[in-house]
Amino acid sequence: MILKPKELKHRGPDWSGLYQHGDNFLSHQRLAVIDPASGDQPLYNEDKSIVVTVNGEIYNHEALRNRLPNHKFRTGSDCDVIAHLYEEFGEDFVDMLDGMFSFVLLDTRDNSFLVARDAIGITSLYIGWGLDGSIWISSEMKGLNDDCEHFECFPPGHLYSSKNGGFRRWYNPSWFSEAVPSTPYDPIVLRRAFENAVVKRLMTDVPFGVLLSGGLDSSLVASITARHLAETKAAKQWGAQLHSFCVGLEGSPDLKAGKEVADYLGTVHHEFHFTVQDGIDAIEDVIYHVETYDVTTIRASTPMFLMSRKIKSLGVKMVISGEGSDEIFGGYLYFHKAPNKEEFHRETCHKIKALHQYDCLRANKSTSAWGLEARVPFLDKEFINVAMAIDPEWKMIKRDQGRIEKWVLRRAFDDEDHPYLPKHILYRQKEQFSDGVGYSWIDGLKAHAASHVTDKMMRNAKNIFLHNTPTTKEAYYYRMIFERFFPQNSAKLTVPGGPSVACSTAKAVEWDASWSNNLDPSGRAALGVHASAYEAQLSAPLANGNVPVKIFNNVPRMVEVGAPASLTIRS
C-alpha cells in the first residue's frame, strides 16, 4: 500500500513521515513548532519498538522528562515523552499529559495500538472502520471518507485501545457529573490560574502572535502574554514585542476595539480587512476544510480562515486565542435569561462538552487549513477545574447588581494599581466573533443564501435532508455544499443539530418564550439583551447581498494503491 496523504498536507507542510509495521501504517504531516530541526515524526522509544504520531503540544514535557531519568530521548520535541511514558506507565499515562493532542501509539512488541484525544477536543480527530476489518484514524474526516464504511468523531477525553477493543474515558473531572459546585469565588485564585494557563502556552521555537478581536477574552490573553513575554525563551529568539492580529469588515466593532487594545498594550498590530464578497467566495473552501454545515461555525470560520492565510504569509506559525471562555463562564448573551444557578451550571457543562463540535473545530481547522497552530488557554485543564468549581451563583448575570456576562472573569482582572485593560474594554458587551467582524457579514450571508435557495427547495427540505433538516435558506445552502464534498451518511452524522438562539443549546431555548420565533445563532438574536438586537425587518434578505457564488468541484483526493491497512494514522 502506498499512502499519499494529500488531503491533510495543509495541516503539516514542514515534513511528511511514513512508517509501516506489517499491515499497520502511520503517516504524519508535521507542522514544526517545537524543535523544528530534529522533531520529525514518527517518534520512537529507545529500541524503536514503540512508535508514535502526534498532533498537538505537550506543555509539561520538561517536567515529564524529569520523571523518566532512565530514558534517552532522540529529539527535543515536546511529544517525544509519549512513547517513554507508555513504556513506564502503560495506558494510564494519558492523564499525565498537560496539553492539546491527538495521537496514535503502535506497540510493535504485541502489535497493539492506542489512540487518545485531549480532554476537551482542541485537536480534531476521527475514527473509521473498513469493510475488511481495518481501523482508520485521521485528524480530518477527508482522510477517512473514501475508505471507511462508517466513521465518526473520536470522543474528546477518551482513548481507544486495541487490547480491549473499545473506548474508555480517561478525563474524569469533578464538573463532568454536572453536580452544582459550592466553592466561593476568589478573584485572585481565578486570575493566577488563567495567567498560568497563558504563560505555559508561550512555549515555542517559531514566531507567534495573539488573535486580538478587542473582546474581553482575546484582550485578556493578549494582555497577559504582553506582560510575561520578555521572560520567555521565545522572546530571546524572536524579540519581546508581541504581534497581534485582527480581522473584520471595514468599520467593524472588532477592528476598532482591537486597535485600541493593541495601542494600549503596545503590540505590533496587524489589521486585516475583508469584504462580504471575499467571505462568500471562500465559503466552499471553508466548508471543505472545516467539515461542517453548522451555521454559526461557518459564519465564524470564514473570517478566521481568511485571517489565518494572511497570518501565515507573515511567517507566523502559532497564535494564541480566546476560545472557551463563554462556555466556562456563561458568556453568551442568552445566559442573561438563565432561571437559576442550577440550570446555569448545567448549561455551561453541556457547552464545554460540545466544544469539540463547534469552537474547537473552528479554531483548529480554520487555522490548520494554512499550516497555522491555534492554542487556547481558557481550555487548560487546571484552569477549567478552578473555574468550574466556583459556585455558579457568582457567575449568574444580575443587572441590578452591575454583574454582566462573565463578571467573575472581568472582576478578577480589574486591577486598579496595575490595570490589564482599559475599563470599557474589560466590561465590553459580549460580541460573538461572527457578529464582531461586522454586522453586515451575517446579513450578507443570509441574503446570498436567499438568492440561491428557493422557497420550493425549502418546502422539500425535509424530504432531501432527513437528518438535521435545514430550517433556513442559509442552512440549506451550506448543507448542499457540505454534501457535495462529504456525501456519506457518516459525514452528516458528525455535525450536531437542534434549535439554538445566540449559540444556546436546545434546552436553553426554553428560557425565554419569545426566542422560539427568533432562532438564530447570532448574539443579536438575544432580543432584549444585545445592544444591537435584530429587529423583525432584518429577517428579510438584503438586496445588495445577491451575489454569485463560485463553485469548485475539483477537490484533492488521496491516491491509494494496493490492499487497505488495518491501521492508518494521519495527523
Side-chain angles (χ1 to χ4, degrees):
M1 175 181 178
I2 300 174
L3 290 176
K4 297 181 181 178
K6 294 180 181 179
E7 295 101 326
L8 276 68
K9 191 171 184 178
H10 54 272
R11 296 186 65 90
D14 298 330
W15 180 260
S16 296
L18 179 63
Y19 175 88
Q20 178 183 359
H21 177 77
D23 62 352
N24 299 304
F25 294 78
L26 281 75
S27 174
H28 187 264
Q29 293 291 148
R30 186 186 184 206
L31 176 65
V33 176
I34 303 297
D35 187 25
S38 68
D40 295 334
Q41 298 190 30
L43 298 166
Y44 309 90
N45 65 337
E46 289 87 343
D47 64 3
K48 292 193 172 182
S49 61
I50 299 171
V51 191
V52 182
T53 56
V54 193
N55 172 35
E57 304 291 346
I58 310 301
Y59 303 120
N60 64 336
H61 73 104
E62 292 182 352
L64 292 173
R65 285 173 184 249
N66 293 333
R67 297 184 62 174
L68 300 164
N70 299 321
H71 288 257
K72 294 181 180 179
F73 297 89
R74 296 174 179 272
T75 78
S77 169
D78 54 293
C79 297
D80 209 351
V81 296
I82 292 177
H84 303 277
L85 287 169
Y86 174 78
E87 221 176 357
E88 288 289 330
F89 302 102
E91 295 180 0
D92 293 333
F93 83 90
V94 179
D95 198 24
M96 298 166 63
L97 302 176
D98 183 7
M100 58 178 190
F101 55 84
S102 297
F103 71 79
V104 175
L105 182 151
L106 176 65
D107 189 339
T108 65
R109 297 171 300 185
D110 60 5
N111 220 35
S112 64
F113 66 89
L114 179 71
V115 187
R117 189 180 184 189
D118 65 65
I120 305 299
I122 301 168
T123 57
S124 60
L125 195 65
Y126 295 83
I127 183 171
W129 294 266
L131 284 173
D132 60 349
S134 59
I135 298 176
W136 299 68
I137 308 293
S138 177
S139 289
E140 294 188 8
M141 192 160 59
K142 61 182 67 67
L144 304 180
N145 59 344
D146 287 339
D147 301 284
C148 297
E149 181 68 14
H150 174 74
F151 53 89
E152 59 192 46
C153 292
F154 194 101
H158 281 70
L159 60 82
Y160 182 97
S161 171
S162 66
K163 291 180 179 179
N164 57 40
F167 294 101
R168 174 168 68 85
R169 182 156 61 89
W170 62 265
Y171 180 54
N172 297 286
S174 57
W175 64 267
F176 217 85
S177 69
E178 301 177 16
V180 179
S182 58
T183 302
Y185 167 55
D186 186 329
I188 301 303
V189 169
L190 187 64
R191 181 199 297 180
R192 288 174 179 166
F194 188 58
E195 286 195 302
N196 290 339
V198 173
V199 169
K200 73 174 65 170
R201 282 159 179 80
L202 302 184
M203 176 187 82
T204 178
D205 292 328
V206 298
F208 82 104
V210 294
L211 302 186
L212 180 56
S213 70
L216 173 67
D217 308 326
S218 66
S219 297
L220 283 178
V221 169
S223 178
I224 295 167
T225 302
R227 286 191 178 208
H228 293 276
L229 180 58
E231 62 204 52
T232 66
K233 176 184 172 184
K236 294 180 176 64
Q237 287 182 286
W238 308 106
Q241 193 162 25
L242 180 64
H243 287 252
S244 57
F245 309 96
C246 185
V247 67
L249 302 176
E250 192 74 45
S252 73
D254 280 1
L255 289 180
K256 180 182 177 183
K259 178 67 164 59
E260 183 177 356
V261 176
D263 290 344
Y264 182 83
L265 299 177
T267 69
V268 179
H269 192 55
H270 307 267
E271 191 174 275
F272 305 121
H273 296 178
F274 77 103
T275 66
V276 172
Q277 183 62 59
D278 291 334
I280 288 171
D281 288 346
I283 288 291
E284 297 231 345
D285 287 338
V286 169
I287 292 174
Y288 174 72
H289 279 286
V290 181
E291 302 180 320
T292 188
Y293 51 83
D294 175 68
V295 170
T296 187
T297 302
I298 294 170
R299 288 175 175 179
S301 294
T302 304
M304 195 168 193
F305 176 86
L306 295 172
M307 176 171 58
S308 296
R309 185 178 192 177
K310 295 286 190 180
I311 292 173
K312 186 60 185 291
S313 73
L314 296 174
V316 172
K317 298 177 74 172
M318 184 271 282
V319 291
I320 308 178
S321 189
E323 276 76 19
S325 172
D326 293 311
E327 287 73 16
I328 294 169
F329 294 105
Y332 292 109
L333 296 183
Y334 72 89
F335 276 94
H336 278 249
K337 300 297 181 73
N340 52 60
K341 72 176 187 178
E342 290 80 13
E343 288 204 41
F344 189 107
H345 181 70
R346 276 194 294 271
E347 180 72 2
T348 59
C349 293
H350 294 167
K351 292 293 290 182
I352 297 172
K353 291 176 183 179
L355 264 168
H356 68 287
Q357 298 175 303
Y358 296 101
D359 285 22
C360 287
L361 180 144
R362 166 181 55 80
N364 180 272
K365 293 181 181 178
S366 296
T367 53
S368 292
W370 301 106
L372 181 68
E373 177 181 276
R375 298 181 180 177
V376 284
F378 278 108
L379 299 182
D380 180 84
K381 280 198 302 182
E382 294 177 22
F383 176 72
I384 292 176
N385 287 340
V386 171
M388 292 302 289
I390 298 171
D391 187 333
E393 183 66 30
W394 289 97
K395 296 181 182 179
M396 292 282 286
I397 299 163
K398 299 184 178 181
R399 291 180 175 178
D400 58 332
Q401 299 178 27
R403 284 164 49 177
I404 64 173
E405 65 277 356
K406 294 185 286 193
W407 177 83
V408 291
L409 181 63
R410 301 175 196 272
R411 180 68 186 87
F413 287 91
D414 194 349
D415 187 334
E416 295 286 351
D417 297 327
H418 304 285
Y420 286 78
L421 295 168
K423 282 275 190 182
H424 64 282
I425 295 292
L426 191 62
Y427 290 94
R428 181 188 174 196
Q429 184 181 55
K430 163 67 183 174
E431 286 281 13
Q432 288 166 210
F433 184 52
S434 53
D435 286 327
V437 297
Y439 296 152
S440 59
W441 167 233
I442 291 178
D443 299 334
L445 283 175
K446 289 181 175 181
H448 177 73
S451 70
H452 286 76
V453 179
T454 66
D455 293 339
K456 182 179 179 181
M457 293 162 75
M458 288 302 299
R459 286 195 295 271
N460 290 323
K462 63 181 180 298
N463 299 313
I464 302 296
F465 305 112
L466 303 182
H467 175 74
N468 281 346
T469 303
T471 57
T472 67
K473 291 185 177 181
E474 185 184 5
Y476 193 108
Y477 179 67
Y478 299 153
R479 185 67 171 272
M480 287 193 299
I481 298 171
F482 177 87
E483 296 215 0
R484 194 173 342 115
F485 289 133
F486 308 105
Q488 302 84 354
N489 188 58
S490 291
K492 67 191 71 172
L493 296 177
T494 65
V495 182
S500 175
V501 61
C503 287
S504 73
T505 65
K507 177 65 177 175
V509 173
E510 301 173 5
W511 291 351
D512 189 313
S514 68
W515 287 348
S516 60
N517 297 319
N518 195 52
L519 295 175
D520 190 283
S522 167
R524 289 183 291 157
L527 302 179
V529 177
H530 195 288
S532 299
Y534 281 132
E535 300 295 338
Q537 65 267 26
L538 286 184
S539 61
L542 297 178
N544 63 5
N546 295 330
V547 290
V549 66
K550 297 177 182 177
I551 305 298
F552 300 94
N553 291 319
N554 297 321
V555 296
R557 309 308 263 168
M558 186 177 73
V559 179
E560 306 247 359
V561 180
S566 61
L567 175 65
T568 301
I569 301 92
R570 307 185 184 111
S571 181

